[in-house]
Amino acid sequence: MIASLSFFGVLLSFLCELGHGERKIYGCGDRTICGVYCSICMSSTWSPQECYEGLVQTCLYIFEEDMYSINSTDWCSLEKVKSAYNNFTLCTETIADCLLLPWPNQFVERLFVAIHTTYFQTCPIEALRDPPPSIVLALVMTPICLIPVIVVLVVFKTKNGDRRS
C-alpha cells in the first residue's frame, strides 16, 4: 500500500512539473516526419516549446512566401488564400503533434492573430445590408394599402347583418 502511494505521489509530482515547469524531456510522436523534428529538438539546448517556436518559423516563412506569390488585392479572396492558410495550419499542428505539445497553444494563437492583422485586416466584412429603396417601399406599402381594404370588408360584413361569417 505504501509503495503504491509513493508511486502515485511521484507520478503526480512528475505530471505537475510537466504542466508548470520548463520541460526538458522530449517526447516524440509516431508520424514518419516526427523523427526529423524530434532529432532537431533533441540536438539543441532548447526546451520543447522553444524548439517548437523555432520550427514553426519555417512554416511561417513558407506561408509568407505563398502569400507574397499571390497578388495583394487577392488576399481577401478565400479561394486564393485557403491553400496557403491550410498548409500553415497543418504545419503548425503537425510539429506540435510530433513534439507532443498541445495545439492550439498561446504561441500559435498569437501567430494567427498577427497573420490576420498583417494580411486580412483590410478585408471587407460580409455584413447584412439594407435592401434597395424600391423593395423597402414595396414591403412597407403593402400592409398599409391592405389595412383600408380589410376595414372596408369588416364594415361591409357587419352592416349587412350577416353574422354567420
Side-chain angles (χ1 to χ4, degrees):
M1 173 86 170
I2 293 175
S4 63
L5 286 176
S6 299
F7 174 75
F8 186 68
V10 170
L11 178 65
L12 282 177
S13 66
F14 177 73
L15 291 175
C16 289
E17 186 177 326
L18 285 179
H20 298 295
E22 279 296 314
R23 188 177 128 209
K24 297 289 185 186
I25 300 170
Y26 285 90
C28 194
D30 59 356
R31 294 185 182 181
T32 54
I33 195 161
C34 289
V36 174
Y37 296 134
C38 292
S39 65
I40 291 170
C41 291
M42 287 181 187
S43 64
S44 71
T45 59
W46 291 344
S47 70
Q49 182 64 36
E50 291 169 336
C51 189
Y52 174 71
E53 292 175 12
L55 289 171
V56 165
Q57 294 305 315
T58 306
C59 303
L60 182 60
Y61 176 77
I62 294 168
F63 174 76
E64 288 173 343
E65 289 294 315
D66 289 345
M67 289 301 289
Y68 286 116
S69 70
I70 301 170
N71 190 351
S72 63
T73 58
D74 292 333
W75 286 353
C76 293
S77 171
L78 180 61
E79 291 301 317
K80 304 276 182 170
V81 299
K82 75 177 176 183
S83 175
Y85 195 86
N86 187 46
N87 289 340
F88 177 71
T89 303
L90 290 174
C91 183
T92 60
E93 189 174 1
T94 299
I95 295 172
D97 286 346
C98 286
L99 298 179
L100 302 178
L101 295 173
W103 190 96
N105 52 52
Q106 288 180 349
F107 173 72
V108 170
E109 288 174 0
R110 285 192 307 267
L111 202 54
F112 274 94
V113 168
I115 284 172
H116 280 255
T117 302
T118 304
Y119 297 101
F120 310 121
Q121 187 172 16
T122 60
C123 294
I125 297 174
E126 298 274 335
L128 296 176
R129 294 176 292 192
D130 288 337
S134 60
I135 293 178
V136 172
L137 183 64
L139 291 173
V140 169
M141 292 305 292
T142 302
I144 291 173
C145 293
L146 286 176
I147 289 173
V149 172
I150 293 172
V151 168
V152 168
L153 285 174
V154 168
V155 169
F156 181 71
K157 282 292 204 179
T158 57
K159 206 173 200 183
N160 286 338
D162 186 8
R163 302 209 186 265
R164 288 181 289 165
S165 44

